[in-house]
């Protein structure tokens, strides 16, 4: 840690309200749209910066003078990897990205892989998936209804629904889906034991290696099968592509479903408005994405050269954390940003990022959310929390924010 770390704040994580960014961001935003930030784990011993203004955030994410390579980026939060009772901080520097790990790459390597994948996530291609997504949603809601009132919505709907959708698209057979989800959940935590991490990484590699082997031997008409059949990618590249897509597809949409339902149940006037005006659904999804922004740690970039932005100079090699949840609450763009308003103009939000690294699967995520929210609230018209709101456990300790469990109930006449 740098000598100045004690004077500079760390990235806020703790929340007082489950739907709002940490109130400790207030001190950072008061300092301006770009503020100093302590880096507990630093690549070069220096502290970095945090960007909170929407204009500055969009500029940084679109600027090729900033790198997305993990081996160049300092960590803005403590990253303990304890063994047993030993909680000592372990300084970890990410390796250079392996072939196929396109999310952690810069252009032109990033764009090579993205072009191979883009055709599977276009608006037209995603619309063709709608019947499958509708069926998966109904299957999950059948399981929810069969379990009866007083069950966990996350376990029976918010998690399995997007997992199955992503696996159907990619051609992941049913057998390995549950263990893949289990081990990806471990690597999505902010802390773990060495044993936990090792087991998760080894098992993910083993499962994905076997899936790729099967696709090589028997190509199928799905994303992985068709990529394998081209002969353009090595097994290692296919494995890393699968890892990246599954990690993003499993985690983000599931968290948005669970947290979004929680938010709507806690804002009954907005839920009533959505029921009365179903044409608001598309915009409601955008507003929930803006208001909740499950990428609660934001995005990080490393400056490849000195860059002046927001009245500050980010020096070559320094990391800037792009605070997506705070940028999506910028009052200069969104009046009363802390208010959930399903009818507001949401244009310009950065819940999916911006620039060349903007989420590849954003159209699939949007359709999954639209179908999921609509199907759930149509079938369970009396859906409500089964516990007080302050008893719903939230995921401050995960890379993506959400709820661990959402106990819900409904009238027996529903379902």
């Amino acid at each position: 840690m740098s000598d100045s770390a004690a004077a500079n704040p760390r990235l806020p994580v703790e929340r007082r309200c489950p739907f709002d960014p940490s109130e400790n961001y207030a001190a950072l935003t008061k300092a301006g749209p770009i503020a100093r930030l302590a880096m507990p784990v630093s690549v070069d011993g220096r502290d970095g910066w945090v960007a909170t203004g929407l204009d500055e955030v969009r500029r940084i994410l679109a600027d090729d003078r900033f790198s997305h390579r993990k081996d160049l980026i300092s960590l803005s939060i403590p990253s303990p990897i304890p063994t047993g009772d030993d909680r000592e901080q372990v300084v970890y520097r990410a390796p250079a990205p392996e072939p196929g790990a396109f999310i952690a790459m810069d252009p032109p390597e990033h764009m090579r892989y993205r072009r191979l994948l883009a055709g599977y996530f276009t608006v037209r291609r995603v619309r063709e998936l709608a019947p499958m997504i509708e069926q998966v949603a109904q299957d999950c809601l059948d399981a929810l209804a069969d379990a009866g009132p007083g069950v966990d919505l996350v376990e029976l709907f918010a998690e399995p629904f997007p997992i199955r959708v992503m696996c159907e698209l990619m051609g992941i057979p049913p057998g390995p889906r549950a263990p893949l989800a289990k081990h990806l959940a471990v690597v999505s935590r902010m802390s773990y034991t060495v044993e936990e991490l090792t087991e998760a990484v080894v098992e993910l590699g083993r499962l994905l290696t076997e899936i790729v082997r099967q696709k090589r031997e028997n190509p199928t008409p799905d994303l992985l099968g068709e990529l394998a059949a081209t002969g353009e990618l090595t097994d290692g590249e296919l494995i890393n592509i699968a890892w990246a897509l599954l990690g993003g597809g499993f985690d983000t949409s599931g968290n948005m479903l669970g947290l979004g339902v929680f938010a709507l149940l806690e804002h009954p006037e907005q839920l009533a408005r959505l029921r009365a005006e179903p044409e608001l659904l598309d915009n409601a999804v955008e507003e929930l994405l803006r208001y909740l922004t499950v990428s609660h740690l934001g995005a990080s970039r490393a400056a490849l050269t000195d860059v002046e932005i927001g009245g500050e100079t980010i020096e070559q090699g320094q990391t800037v954390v792009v605070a997506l949840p705070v940028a999506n609450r910028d009052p200069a763009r969104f009046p009363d940003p802390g208010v959930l308003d399903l009818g507001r103009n949401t244009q310009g939000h950065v819940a999916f990022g911006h620039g060349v690294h903007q989420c590849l699967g954003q159209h699939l995520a949007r359709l999954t959310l639209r179908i999921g929210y609509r199907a759930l609230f149509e079938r369970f018209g009396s859906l409500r929390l089964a516990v007080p709101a302050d008893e719903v456990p939230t995921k401050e300790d995960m890379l993506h924010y959400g709820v661990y469990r959402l106990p819900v109930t409904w009238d027996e006449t529903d379902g």
Side-chain angles (χ1 to χ4, degrees):
M1 187 183 297
S2 72
D3 293 338
S4 64
N8 293 326
R10 294 185 179 183
L11 190 71
V13 176
E14 303 82 5
R15 298 176 180 231
R16 180 168 295 180
C17 171
F19 310 122
D20 296 339
S22 172
E23 62 181 6
N24 294 328
Y25 271 111
L28 292 170
T29 56
K30 190 177 296 184
I34 304 286
R36 293 275 186 179
L37 191 71
M39 294 289 167
V41 183
S42 177
V43 169
D44 58 8
R46 290 183 293 174
D47 281 346
W49 301 84
V50 58
T52 56
L54 183 61
D55 287 346
E56 288 75 16
V57 161
R58 291 175 66 88
R59 285 175 58 194
I60 290 168
L61 293 177
D63 193 329
D64 62 9
R65 293 175 296 175
F66 289 96
S67 172
H68 195 244
R69 283 180 50 176
K70 303 304 181 188
D71 54 320
L72 303 180
I73 292 172
S74 298
L75 298 178
S76 58
I77 54 174
S79 181
I81 308 178
T83 303
D85 294 329
D86 182 6
R87 313 299 292 188
E88 184 178 353
Q89 173 75 40
V90 176
V91 177
Y92 170 73
R93 180 168 180 173
E98 296 182 0
F102 67 99
I103 291 177
M105 294 177 174
D106 293 332
E109 294 87 355
H110 172 81
M111 297 310 298
R112 175 197 167 220
Y113 293 112
R114 194 174 179 103
R115 278 192 291 269
L116 287 172
L117 295 166
Y120 295 94
F121 296 97
T122 63
V123 172
R124 180 189 62 80
R125 189 72 174 265
V126 167
R127 283 176 181 164
E128 294 173 354
L129 299 174
M132 178 270 286
I133 299 173
E134 294 272 8
Q135 185 60 57
V136 173
Q138 292 304 324
D139 290 347
C140 292
L141 293 177
D142 286 346
L144 189 68
D146 290 342
V151 294
D152 178 14
L153 187 82
V154 172
E155 178 185 3
L156 294 174
F157 181 67
E159 283 187 352
F161 173 37
I163 286 174
R164 184 171 159 190
V165 166
M166 196 65 179
C167 287
E168 292 288 339
L169 169 65
M170 293 181 62
I172 305 292
R177 292 177 186 179
L180 282 170
K182 171 189 172 183
H183 296 304
L184 284 167
V186 171
V187 299
S188 294
R189 301 201 312 242
M190 286 194 283
S191 65
Y192 28 64
T193 66
V194 171
E195 292 80 8
E196 287 173 332
L197 179 62
T198 300
E199 179 187 6
V201 170
V202 169
E203 283 301 300
L204 284 168
R206 183 186 66 79
L207 290 165
L208 293 174
T209 297
E210 177 60 20
I211 290 168
V212 167
R213 184 189 67 77
Q214 293 176 5
K215 296 297 180 183
R216 291 287 194 201
E217 295 177 356
N218 183 29
T220 47
D222 47 57
L223 187 152
L224 284 179
E226 291 174 2
L227 287 179
T230 66
E232 295 184 45
L233 299 168
T234 67
D235 286 3
E237 287 175 307
L238 283 169
I239 289 167
N240 285 319
I241 286 171
W243 190 319
L245 293 178
L246 291 171
F250 283 13
D251 202 25
T252 50
S253 293
N255 283 322
M256 267 305 303
L257 282 166
L259 189 62
V261 170
F262 185 22
L264 289 170
L265 293 178
E266 285 297 289
H267 294 80
E269 76 291 346
Q270 291 299 308
L271 180 55
R273 183 180 181 186
L274 182 58
R275 293 186 189 280
E277 304 174 61
E279 66 276 9
L280 275 180
L281 180 60
D282 286 5
N283 200 73
V285 168
E286 299 303 317
E287 171 65 350
L288 287 166
L289 287 164
R290 179 204 72 84
Y291 179 69
L292 299 172
T293 314
V294 297
S295 294
H296 70 136
L297 303 179
S300 295
R301 298 291 188 269
L304 297 174
T305 186
D306 290 359
V307 182
E308 292 187 12
I309 190 166
E312 302 285 358
T313 299
I314 300 171
E315 298 175 355
Q316 180 178 353
Q318 282 189 304
T319 290
V320 55
V321 176
V322 180
L324 302 177
V326 186
N328 278 339
R329 299 286 186 101
D330 189 336
R333 174 62 189 84
F334 305 108
D336 297 320
V339 174
L340 178 64
D341 176 5
L342 301 187
R344 82 159 70 240
N345 179 356
T346 61
Q347 185 176 1
H349 78 71
V350 287
F352 288 115
H354 183 62
V356 297
H357 282 282
Q358 190 171 30
C359 177
L360 179 66
Q362 61 180 294
H363 301 309
L364 177 62
R366 286 185 166 102
L367 184 59
T368 301
L369 294 173
R370 289 198 296 266
I371 289 174
Y373 291 136
R374 177 182 51 74
L376 175 68
F377 287 114
E378 282 183 356
R379 186 154 177 182
F380 298 93
S382 60
L383 191 74
R384 56 192 181 274
L385 291 180
V387 297
D390 61 5
E391 293 183 12
V392 175
T394 55
K395 295 183 175 180
E396 285 91 350
D397 60 338
M398 300 291 284
L399 296 178
H400 289 99
Y401 184 68
V403 292
Y404 280 109
R405 296 180 300 280
L406 191 67
V408 294
T409 189
W410 57 86
D411 296 342
E412 293 286 355
T413 52
D414 287 351

